[in-house]
Amino acid sequence: MSEEPTTPAEDRERLDREDREERELVREPDVNQESNRSATRLELFFDLAFVLFVAGCADLLAKDETLTGGLRFAALVAIGWWAWASATLYANRFDTDDAIFRLLTLIGMGGVIMMAAAADQVTGPAWTWFVAGYVILRAVLVLGYLRVWRTLPETRAGIRPYLLGHAAGGALWLVSLAVPAPGRYVLWAAGVFVDLLGPALSARKPDSPPLHMEHLPERFGLFVILLLGESVAATVHGLHDGKWTSGVTTTAAAAFLLTAALWWSYFDLSGGAAKRRLVQEGGERTREGVHDFYVYAHLPVAVSLAAVAVGLEHAIAHGSDDHLGAGARGVLGVGLAGYLLSAAVIQGVLSRRPKPALIWPGLGIPAIVVITALDLRPPVLVGLCAAVLVAGVATGIHQHRQGEIKVAKV
């Protein structure tokens, strides 16, 4: 729906109002209700620290491609993803971009930097810095929600689960500083689990402040871009480390094609179908827990795409070899299959049309599993995976043109 035209006097009044607001260093938190709200420059700056965090997790997996290493990698990515998602959920509702909000966000960014620097040594001497960074993030969010508690009494019932969850989760992590391994890892898991309950419990409150349904999918889409950027970086690193041989360059070209297909698959198909459902429902409460499902379903997407980047880098670097190691093939296969499964579930559940999702991305899952199980040369392996993804995108576009899936641009 187009907006009503404004007069020059109304435009001047709006600009004067915005100028007065910008001159106010401190503004009370308020529920975001801007119709065309998009990601702010501060949010994009905040995301830069998570680029480094995901890269640190990838380094950890690259050093240990065993099942144990994979589980450790998945746990770390999940911790970082929730740290980002919880900050995003707060900003989605209450970002006033005043001096206090900016300072809290920048302090939290410092915590992410600490986590990123210690990610590949989380079981070594740097683990205390990793814990400190996570605790700082929890403390920042607790302070933010306390500001809202003080100034917006009508939101207290809805934000209480977040406030208590962040405080309890941070406290468990803080206690872990005095607990030796493996006990400290149990406390970390318990802290994240308690924290994760916040959105689900808040959604059950009838007076919970609504999420901004334009801003939410944009922010999660930007995080997907961040993760896909790791695959682009992997292509660059693989070319550099592989010395530009013919096998390396062929594998790199296939890897880039695969990454582009992943981008197309998410933003024009699965992610677009999910956004359409969110926009249709707006801020309404739903028994299906649509908003919570959308948030939580992006966790396996994050873990899978981060693993894909590691597998691609190893495949490119060894592009001239006769075969790729079982560990690297497993990482790439699990990453791609995990992403396709997550995308199929997101699309099928949120579009309420599971049949098209079973065709694509669904049929891509067994194809990827079979391809990565075979001991093929890296250019052939990555090329076949890319072919599956490209064919899947073509299938999804056909489904969209036939009206079998309906999407909104992410």
Side-chain angles (χ1 to χ4, degrees), residues 67-153:
L67 178 59
T68 301
L71 292 174
R72 185 182 299 121
F73 163 82
L76 285 180
V77 174
I79 291 169
W81 172 86
W82 175 239
W84 175 88
S86 56
T88 294
L89 291 173
Y90 175 85
N92 178 272
R93 291 183 171 105
F94 304 116
D95 177 6
T96 51
D97 198 30
D98 68 328
I100 294 178
F101 178 84
R102 288 187 174 191
L103 286 173
L104 289 175
T105 301
L106 293 173
I107 292 170
M109 187 176 177
V112 180
I113 291 172
M114 293 167 63
M115 293 173 65
D120 65 341
Q121 304 173 32
V122 72
T123 58
W127 71 271
T128 54
W129 292 104
F130 188 84
V131 172
Y134 189 82
V135 171
I136 287 171
L137 278 167
R138 298 304 91 187
V140 162
L141 281 175
V142 168
L143 290 174
Y145 279 111
L146 285 175
R147 287 189 75 202
V148 176
W149 183 279
R150 181 178 62 85
T151 59
L152 298 173

Side-chain angles (χ1 to χ4, degrees), residues 175 228 274 323:
V175 170
L228 290 172
H323 64 90

Side-chain angles (χ1 to χ4, degrees), residues 50-372:
F50 283 95
V51 174
L52 302 175
F53 177 82
V54 174
C57 294
D59 290 342
L60 184 68
L61 180 59
K63 296 173 184 176
D64 184 5
E65 293 177 333
T66 64
L67 178 59
T68 301
L71 292 174
R72 185 182 299 121
F73 163 82
L76 285 180
V77 174
I79 291 169
W81 172 86
W82 175 239
W84 175 88
S86 56
T88 294
L89 291 173
Y90 175 85
N92 178 272
R93 291 183 171 105
F94 304 116
D95 177 6
T96 51
D97 198 30
D98 68 328
I100 294 178
F101 178 84
R102 288 187 174 191
L103 286 173
L104 289 175
T105 301
L106 293 173
I107 292 170
M109 187 176 177
V112 180
I113 291 172
M114 293 167 63
M115 293 173 65
D120 65 341
Q121 304 173 32
V122 72
T123 58
W127 71 271
T128 54
W129 292 104
F130 188 84
V131 172
Y134 189 82
V135 171
I136 287 171
L137 278 167
R138 298 304 91 187
V140 162
L141 281 175
V142 168
L143 290 174
Y145 279 111
L146 285 175
R147 287 189 75 202
V148 176
W149 183 279
R150 181 178 62 85
T151 59
L152 298 173
E154 67 276 12
T155 67
R156 289 177 179 174
I159 68 171
R160 185 180 288 112
Y162 286 96
L163 183 56
L164 295 178
H166 295 329
L172 288 170
W173 276 67
L174 191 61
V175 170
S176 76
L177 288 171
V179 178
R184 75 170 71 106
Y185 306 137
V186 176
L187 289 175
W188 294 1
V192 173
F193 177 76
V194 170
D195 221 343
L196 279 167
L197 292 176
L201 295 176
S202 176
R204 298 175 181 273
K205 305 293 183 181
D207 51 355
S208 177
L211 289 164
H212 196 292
M213 287 300 109
E214 289 287 342
H215 178 260
L216 187 70
E218 181 192 15
R219 289 296 290 134
F220 277 81
L222 286 170
F223 197 80
V224 171
I225 286 285
L226 179 158
L227 294 161
L228 290 172
E230 291 298 318
S231 288
V232 176
T235 304
V236 174
H237 295 153
L239 280 169
H240 178 271
D241 297 341
K243 309 301 181 184
W244 294 87
T245 64
S246 60
V248 166
T249 53
T250 302
T251 308
F256 179 69
L257 182 61
L258 183 152
T259 304
L262 287 173
W263 169 83
W264 202 316
S265 175
Y266 178 85
F267 286 95
D268 274 14
L269 300 172
S270 300
K275 180 181 177 179
R276 182 182 178 89
R277 175 79 179 276
L278 292 178
V279 172
Q280 284 176 336
E281 299 198 2
E284 297 176 1
R285 297 288 172 271
T286 60
R287 291 183 179 179
E288 298 91 345
V290 171
H291 311 146
D292 296 335
F293 179 85
Y294 178 85
V295 170
Y296 293 139
H298 275 78
L299 172 55
V301 170
V303 174
S304 298
L305 289 179
V308 168
V310 176
L312 287 179
E313 182 171 352
H314 279 212
I316 297 168
H318 295 278
S320 296
D321 297 348
D322 291 333
H323 64 90
L324 190 62
R329 285 188 285 116
V331 168
L332 181 60
V334 170
L336 287 173
Y339 167 77
L340 292 175
L341 177 60
S342 303
V345 172
I346 289 173
Q347 178 182 321
V349 172
L350 293 183
S351 70
R352 290 178 284 202
R353 293 186 175 186
K355 184 177 179 180
L358 289 174
I359 297 173
W360 178 260
L363 291 180
I365 299 170
I368 290 295
V369 170
V370 170
I371 292 169
T372 53

Side-chain angles (χ1 to χ4, degrees), residues 1-58:
M1 182 180 294
S2 60
E3 296 182 2
E4 292 292 331
T6 58
T7 65
E10 290 173 332
D11 288 337
R12 286 194 297 272
E13 181 181 353
R14 176 179 57 81
L15 290 172
D16 289 340
R17 183 176 66 254
E18 292 176 353
D19 183 61
R20 288 193 301 271
E21 290 176 351
E22 289 179 359
R23 289 199 302 269
E24 296 175 358
L25 285 177
V26 177
R27 293 187 292 276
E28 299 292 354
D30 198 3
V31 177
N32 283 314
Q33 296 178 339
E34 298 178 24
S35 59
N36 296 317
R37 184 174 176 227
S38 59
T40 66
R41 288 167 292 184
L42 180 59
E43 287 178 309
L44 299 177
F45 186 50
F46 181 69
D47 289 352
L48 290 177
F50 283 95
V51 174
L52 302 175
F53 177 82
V54 174
C57 294

